[in-house]
Every structure is written in structure tokens, then in C-alpha cells.
Amino acid sequence: MTLLITGGAGFIGSHVVRLFVQRYPHYRIVNLDALTYAGNLANLRDIEQAPNYTFVRGDIRDAILLDNLFEEYSFDAVIHLAAESHVDRSISHPLTFVETNVIGTVNLLNAALKHWEGRFDGKRFYHVSTDEVYGSLGSEGYFTEESPYDPRSPYSASKAASDHFVRAYFHTYGLPIVLSNCSNNYGPYQFPEKLIPLMINNIREGRPLPVYGDGRNVRDWLWVIDHAEAVDTILHRGRVGETYNIGGNNEWANIDLVKFLCDLTDELLGRSPGTARQLITFVKDRPGHDRRYAIDASKIRRELGWKPSMPFEVGLRTTIQWYLENTEWLQYVISGEYRVYYEKHYGNL
Ligand code: NAD
Ligand code: TYD
């Protein structure tokens, strides 16, 4: 099996690459990543010398590069994770999200179609997507695979569009696709623009903890390696043409999660209880801020036997500990571009 993983230098992608490189020594794994601000080869230091692993720096917006890559490697399968992934950035730069998430995905579909046409047997195009395509829930109910699409941010609109194209290539051309829509991930190597690592870093530095709006927006958090396990399961055993929802069954209002992070981080840093909570600062809400996401993951559990395995408190402690220990990684990723973004987005907070 020769496997193309796109976006493998990002947060989730690096965990997926690591899992496949370590678990499948007989697979040839090619990681294609443009190394945007969010991609970092330091995320893969421990496996970069593995004989079954190759890194290619390249952009999925470049159709010719993709064509050449398919020609050179004759991929059997694709796991497509490369994307612009941060909602706040999509609000200031929507077109970048269209270019990478929509056009980049269609480029990849075209390359797979051209090189696999007439020989679809054993091939698989796996598109990794998000629960945000389903829109926003009230206090009741869950997203199922049948929930109508209702994206409300430029990010989720671009992911929804990419999902539609992936399904269209299945129905129109018979491309053997599979899709998953996952809830919010957390764990090591997440870029600190996202809620959990941003809060850990600010607590460590004694900086304000910016909570949007009233802090009552709800997210369903999943340990990133549980997601990587689900990706492995779906790639190998998911049914062609199907979609699987992946979630942690673990809903938290942002403010409760931030308080929990404060208390755990104080404890791990040996600070007196209550220190970090004093840093909590309510700030202007994100425009169009989705109120609640919650996944019904019963299909993947029933059909493929996957379920989350990491208890949340253990996962959070492991994550906080990782960020406190990996200061070199953190300093590297929060230098340069991150500072500019932070100042622009959060002002002089
Ligand atoms: P990330 O931002 O951490 O990583 C994205 C990676 O894609 C980076 O390595 C970046 O360099 C690369 N990339 C970006 N544009 C590219 C381009 N044009 N060509 C090639 N590479 C490019 O994102 P993540 O959080 O790891 O998310 C990975 C995937 O999972 C995305 O498709 C995202 O929509 C999806 N997802 C994320 C979450 C989450 O909670 N983070 C939840 C569900 C689904
Ligand atoms: P985020 O990690 O950006 O993921 P998403 O928006 O894709 O769910 O944000 C998670 C939640 O945390 C979301 O409701 C927005 C909120 N949030 C804050 O309150 N403050 C912040 O500084 C950030 C980055 C997010």
C-alpha cells in the first residue's frame, strides 16, 4: 500500500502520520504538506527517519504538482487532511479557505480520478472533515450523518463545499471515497491559536485568558489520538461512499473548560489554587459564533467498533504537561507569524 497523507505536518495530520508509520511498516507513507504557519516538521521529529516515510513539501492548490506526485508514487489511497482550519482566520481571510479547502480538494480529487480511472479496485480517497458543516445546535439534540448541512462560518462553508465535491465525485465518477466529520480535537502539537493550547500558554505566561461572548458555547472534545485511531479504522474498514461522524461524547461549555484548565495548570505548575482563574477575561464574541456542537457517533461504534478511549481529565493533564515540557516547540511556533496574528486578533489584551 502506498498512502498519500496531506496536511501531515499539522496537528491531527502529524498524529495520523505517526500512527500509520509506526503501525504499518510495510506501507509506504508520503506526507504532502505546504508547511503553512500551521505545519511544522518538528511535529514529526521522532519518525522522520523511518524507512517507510517520505516528506514532500508542496501545495494542494498546485494541480500540476499533484499530477506529478500521483505519477511518481502510484498511490493506492489518500487521507486528505490539508486545510486552513481556524474559524477566526477564516473570518478575516475567507478566500484563502476557498483556495485551499475547496480548490485544493478538487485538485486532489482530479488527480486521484485521472490516475485511478478504470482501476478503482482497492483504491480509497478518504476526506477528513468537521462537525462544523452541520451548523449550530440549541441545547438539545445531536449531529448525525443525516443532519442537513448548515455551515455558518467561512471555514465551515469551505469544508462543507469540499465535502459536497467529494460526494459528487463518488456519485458522478464512481471515485471510491469515504468521509468523516469529527468534533473538536485536543492534544499535543495543536497550534496555540486554538482554545486549549492558547489558554495553557497564556496561563503559563500569566496573560489574560480571552473567553468569547458569555463563555456558554459548547464543544464536544475528543483526544486527537482517538481521532487518529478512527481514521485508521475508517480507511481500512469504512464502506465506500459512506460518511462516519466521530465525537468524544464529551460536551463542555467554554467557560467551564477554561476554569478546569486553570485549576489543572495551577496544580501542575505548583501555583496556589485560583491563581489562573483570575486571568479569565470575557471579550467580544466571535461573529456568527456557533452555539453548540455535539456528535452522535453511534454509527461508527455500531458498524466499525470504534469508540473514544481517553478519559478527558487524563487527556487534558497529558496535554498540559506536554505544553509545559515542550517550551522549545512552543517558542518556535509562537514566534513570528503568531505574534502578528495575536496582536491583530486580540489587540493589546
Ligand atoms: P492544522 O491547521 O493544524 O493543519 C493543517 C495542515 O495542512 C498544516 O500542516 C498545513 O501546513 C497544511 N496545509 C494548509 N494548507 C495547505 C495547502 N494549500 N497545501 C498543502 N498543505 C496545506 O489543522 P488540523 O487541526 O490538524 O486539522 C486537520 C484536518 O482535520 C482539517 O481538514 C480540518 O478541517 C479537520 N478537522 C479538524 C478538527 C480539529 O479540531 N482541529 C476537527 C475536525 C476536523
Ligand atoms: P476553537 O479552538 O477556535 O475551535 P472551533 O471554533 O473550531 O470550535 O474554539 C473553541 C471554542 O472556544 C469556540 O467556541 C470559540 C472559543 N474560543 C474562545 O472563547 N476564546 C479564544 O481565544 C478561542 C481561540 C476560542
Side-chain angles (χ1 to χ4, degrees):
M1 158 96 97
T2 304
L3 175 61
L4 172 64
I5 300 180
T6 70
F11 165 49
I12 300 171
S14 63
H15 289 280
V16 171
V17 166
R18 181 174 294 101
L19 185 148
F20 275 81
V21 165
Q22 292 177 343
R23 187 169 292 170
Y24 302 107
H26 53 297
Y27 288 8
R28 181 180 199 189
I29 291 146
V30 178
N31 171 16
L32 172 69
D33 197 297
L35 300 182
T36 68
Y37 78 90
N40 187 352
L41 288 180
N43 299 359
L44 292 163
R45 283 280 175 264
D46 53 327
I47 56 101
E48 66 188 359
Q49 300 300 336
N52 60 340
Y53 173 70
T54 305
F55 174 71
V56 177
R57 185 171 190 177
D59 197 312
I60 58 167
R61 291 172 296 184
D62 182 347
I64 295 167
L65 175 135
L66 294 179
D67 192 21
N68 291 338
L69 212 60
F70 270 76
E71 189 68 45
E72 182 179 349
Y73 289 98
S74 301
F75 299 117
D76 300 298
V78 176
I79 305 177
H80 176 36
L81 296 118
E84 290 289 338
S85 67
H86 190 39
V87 174
D88 293 326
R89 288 183 191 253
S90 81
I91 295 167
S92 27
H93 295 98
L95 203 54
T96 317
F97 285 67
V98 176
E99 287 165 0
T100 284
N101 299 0
V102 186
I103 299 174
T105 300
V106 176
N107 283 339
L108 205 55
L109 288 163
N110 283 340
L113 188 61
K114 177 176 166 192
H115 290 270
W116 294 350
E117 204 153 25
R119 297 176 286 127
F120 285 152
D121 244 22
K123 302 288 194 289
R124 180 132 320 184
F125 187 105
Y126 179 178
H127 179 61
V128 175
S129 193
T130 167
D131 60 355
E132 305 191 23
V133 298
Y134 298 123
S136 182
L137 291 166
S139 52
E140 304 270 293
Y142 296 91
F143 298 133
T144 73
E145 290 79 2
E146 273 72 51
S147 297
Y149 273 35
D150 184 21
R152 297 151 55 99
S153 75
Y155 163 64
S156 54
S158 69
K159 291 296 290 187
S162 67
D163 293 8
H164 289 320
F165 273 102
V166 171
R167 292 198 184 93
Y169 272 59
F170 169 65
H171 291 292
T172 307
Y173 308 109
L175 191 77
I177 62 103
V178 66
L179 259 122
S180 58
N181 295 85
C182 187
S183 65
N184 288 60
N185 285 215
Y186 73 98
Y189 298 111
Q190 186 167 32
F191 194 80
E193 64 188 352
K194 305 277 167 59
L195 180 74
I196 289 180
L198 185 140
M199 293 298 166
I200 298 170
N201 185 41
N202 284 16
I203 294 170
R204 193 178 61 91
E205 293 186 342
R207 299 177 62 161
L209 308 178
V211 175
Y212 297 162
D214 65 1
R216 302 307 313 170
N217 302 67
V218 171
R219 297 293 183 265
D220 170 4
W221 293 95
L222 177 70
W223 174 240
V224 62
I225 299 169
D226 278 333
H227 187 188
E229 289 286 353
V231 169
D232 181 10
T233 303
I234 292 168
L235 180 80
H236 290 103
R237 295 195 288 114
R239 284 184 292 135
V240 169
E242 291 289 318
T243 296
Y244 298 89
N245 278 358
I246 306 168
N249 201 16
N250 178 38
E251 290 181 50
W252 284 77
N254 292 337
I255 185 64
D256 297 333
L257 174 55
V258 170
K259 285 180 180 164
F260 194 26
L261 277 170
C262 285
D263 297 348
L264 291 175
T265 310
D266 278 346
E267 186 196 316
L268 289 167
L269 283 170
R271 293 180 183 165
S272 38
T275 309
R277 284 190 184 213
Q278 291 169 20
L279 299 168
I280 293 174
T281 310
F282 289 93
V283 299
K284 195 157 85 55
D285 208 355
R286 172 188 281 173
H289 194 175
D290 288 338
R291 194 62 174 171
R292 174 171 166 258
Y293 303 143
I295 279 278
D296 174 348
S298 55
K299 177 177 173 182
I300 183 171
R301 186 179 188 138
R302 194 176 57 247
E303 291 191 9
L304 306 178
W306 175 91
K307 58 179 180 359
S309 68
M310 176 61 97
F312 192 47
E313 183 171 339
V314 180
L316 269 192
R317 281 180 183 277
T318 308
T319 305
I320 296 167
Q321 196 72 50
W322 187 89
Y323 280 92
L324 297 180
E325 281 167 8
N326 287 272
T327 43
E328 210 177 299
W329 181 91
L330 199 59
Q331 288 314 320
Y332 177 75
V333 301
I334 65 176
S335 62
E337 198 274 350
Y338 183 75
R339 282 185 204 287
V340 178
Y341 163 77
Y342 200 93
E343 270 162 37
K344 209 163 161 216
H345 188 66
Y346 294 99
N348 46 19
L349 191 66

